[in-house]
Amino acid sequence: MTQHQPIVQATRDIELSIIVPTFNERDNVRELIRRLGSCLAQVSWEVIFVDDDSPDGTADLVHEIGRYDHRVRCLQRLSRRGLSSACIEGMLSSSAPYLAVIDGDLQHDEALLPQMLEILRNGDTDIVIGSRYISGGGIGDWNRTRALISRCATRLSTLILRAHLNDPMSGFFMIRREAFYDTVRKLSGIGFKILTDLFASSPRPLRFKELPYQFRNRQVGESKLDHHAVWDYLMLLLDKLIGHILPVRFIAFTLVGGFGVAVHLLALTLLFKGLQTTFVTSQTIATVVAITSNFALNNILTYRDMRLRGWQWVRGWVSFTLVCSVGALANVGIAAYLFRMDTFWVLSALAGIIIGAVWNYAVTAAYTWKKPSVE
Ligand code: GDD
Ligand code: MN
């Protein structure tokens, strides 16, 4: 590394940044900082809490502590959610040569940090991982379903990983700055699994070591890992497998659209056959139901990280409905034109559907779920 003349007299020289993603962890913040302070007494470190504007005021507390303790920083993100993206942005905001990621709820064992740092300092390792699935490690008292999901996700990860990791689902690791920077532009940033993302995206195999630790039980607050995490994980896998051909949001959008056809037929059958409503009324109501369910599903799955709520939801629904109506007209118009030009009817219909879907996707991406504006 080249030595630069400092612009101002250096006041501190940080060797290690610890990135802590947080959402509603106010009651764990002080204890985590205290523990970091005691196990890293010999190290020059800082901690960066990346908080997604937690309603419990986590960020306010971190700012309050940061005012008198310069080792403590807060990166507050507005109108955003996402564990991986929080970790990535936290790492990007650091200038230290070594970057660690650790949960903010005290479930990871911070006592490993000095050892992780020592291994990286020695030079022949890019990343050290806290692992629950090697001898000496463990998962605490997780219920059977959670343990099973974790195992399945670990198996599936072999589809995209280019290394044999025992615990690719771990959210606890320390990485050398250069290894992170070589990879950062290729990361998907989707969902919870930042470590899997790093290994699947790195342009060259990462030299890694795993250290065992016992995953502790959470004492305060609650886990944010819910069934959505499974969807996010599948999206991460898809993105890494075929994301270079098709954007993963488009795939999700199309899946939701396919499901919408089933919703439409179900509503139509209930109204037309079950309630004896006229066909035109049944078809009209079924269309509105399908559009609404498509909008709601896309809002919680495809655009989970920029989910619309309250009035934004209503505004989003209106714009989604308008855009999809134009999409439907384009679909029918193009299919009808091709059919008149003697194209096989199935091909005409498919062309109409594809163009309608691409239109709906592209325009709703720009107008319905446009990038958040801070209000
Ligand atoms: N900024 C931000 N944004 N932080 C988040 C978000 C988010 O959307 N969701 C969760 N977090 C924070 C939590 O506040 C916590 O500090 C940490 O990320 C982990 O979230 P938990 O909700 O406690 O997850 P978990 O305990 O079920 O799972 C964790 O441990 C596993 C084992 O290491 C995660 O780190 C998993 O990725 C990991 O596999
Ligand atoms: Mn946790």
Side-chain angles (χ1 to χ4, degrees):
M1 227 186 268
T2 45
Q3 286 295 320
H4 293 286
Q5 204 59 31
I7 300 170
V8 289
Q9 195 59 41
T11 48
R12 56 180 182 153
D13 180 11
I14 300 163
E15 185 178 22
L16 172 66
S17 290
I18 299 141
I19 318 301
V20 185
T22 54
F23 192 74
N24 286 346
E25 304 290 359
R26 190 183 168 96
D27 294 336
N28 289 313
V29 165
R30 284 186 197 281
E31 177 60 15
L32 180 64
I33 298 173
R34 194 194 61 73
R35 291 191 194 180
L36 292 176
S38 67
C39 72
L40 294 170
Q42 310 304 321
V43 179
S44 164
W45 59 277
E46 68 175 349
V47 59
I48 303 168
F49 288 88
V50 187
D51 186 70
D52 286 351
D53 215 16
S54 304
D56 77 346
T58 307
D60 297 338
L61 175 63
V62 176
H63 283 305
E64 207 176 288
I65 302 172
R67 251 194 311 273
Y68 60 83
D69 187 340
H70 66 236
R71 299 169 307 179
V72 178
R73 286 172 48 198
C74 181
L75 176 59
Q76 195 172 354
R77 306 195 307 168
L78 306 178
S79 315
R80 303 271 302 281
R81 279 299 302 273
L83 179 46
S84 283
S85 61
C87 297
I88 295 167
E89 286 164 37
M91 289 192 267
L92 282 171
S93 80
S94 152
S95 309
Y98 303 112
L99 312 164
V101 170
I102 188 168
D103 285 354
D105 55 4
L106 311 171
Q107 289 194 273
H108 293 158
D109 187 355
E110 64 290 329
L112 283 189
L113 290 168
Q115 203 183 335
M116 289 174 154
L117 182 62
E118 204 43 55
I119 294 174
L120 290 189
R121 277 180 185 152
N122 286 341
D124 48 7
T125 309
D126 294 314
I127 181 165
V128 188
I129 300 148
S131 172
R132 296 160 296 168
Y133 299 135
I134 53 177
S135 157
I139 57 173
D141 63 356
W142 267 2
N143 63 37
R144 296 223 343 237
T145 325
R146 170 107 202 233
L148 186 74
I149 293 177
S150 179
R151 293 268 177 200
C152 285
T154 305
R155 289 263 166 78
L156 271 179
S157 71
T158 51
L159 287 173
I160 57 169
L161 286 183
R162 281 162 290 158
H164 177 73
L165 285 181
N166 288 293
D167 191 1
M169 300 298 119
S170 175
F172 180 31
F173 59 88
M174 191 184 293
I175 187 168
R176 182 181 294 286
R177 175 180 194 78
E178 301 81 60
F180 170 69
Y181 266 83
D182 288 348
T183 311
V184 68
R185 285 168 212 282
K186 302 194 172 60
L187 292 170
S188 301
I190 303 170
F192 257 59
K193 303 303 170 190
I194 174 68
L195 185 70
T196 312
D197 200 354
L198 276 168
F199 271 83
S201 311
S202 171
R204 57 190 165 76
L206 291 172
R207 299 165 301 167
F208 67 96
K209 281 211 171 72
E210 293 182 280
L211 298 179
Y213 82 98
Q214 290 285 342
F215 193 72
R216 302 187 192 120
N217 294 328
R218 198 187 243 279
Q219 304 299 327
V220 210
E222 42 192 65
S223 169
K224 284 91 208 169
L225 193 101
D226 52 16
H227 54 279
H228 290 302
V230 175
W231 167 269
D232 283 346
Y233 183 60
L234 293 179
M235 288 299 120
L236 173 64
L237 289 178
L238 272 179
D239 190 36
K240 282 285 148 321
L241 291 170
I242 50 170
H244 52 288
I245 307 171
L246 278 178
V248 70
R249 278 204 215 267
F250 180 68
I251 302 170
F253 194 85
T254 316
L255 289 176
V256 168
F259 184 72
V261 175
V263 171
H264 184 115
L265 290 178
L266 184 73
L268 182 66
T269 316
L270 281 176
L271 291 161
F272 184 52
K273 291 284 173 199
L275 299 174
Q276 313 285 310
T277 318
T278 65
F279 181 76
V280 175
T281 314
S282 307
Q283 172 74 353
T284 310
I285 299 177
T287 306
V288 175
V289 170
I291 288 186
T292 306
S293 104
N294 278 4
F295 170 68
L297 280 177
N298 276 315
N299 194 44
I300 37 181
L301 295 172
T302 317
Y303 291 98
R304 179 161 141 70
D305 53 338
M306 35 175 100
R307 193 159 151 191
L308 306 171
R309 294 167 201 270
W311 277 111
Q312 296 274 21
W313 194 97
V314 178
R315 194 195 54 75
W317 179 82
V318 172
S319 80
F320 187 84
T321 308
L322 287 176
V323 172
C324 292
S325 308
V326 178
L329 285 178
N331 172 346
V332 174
I334 284 158
Y337 172 78
L338 289 175
F339 186 69
R340 275 203 307 276
M341 302 311 268
D342 281 341
T343 312
F344 180 49
W345 65 275
V346 177
L347 284 185
S348 307
L350 268 181
I353 290 171
I354 292 172
I355 288 175
V358 170
W359 159 273
N360 287 350
Y361 169 72
V363 182
T364 56
Y367 289 101
T368 308
W369 288 280
K370 55 177 186 255
K371 290 271 176 257
S373 60
V374 178
E375 272 145 28

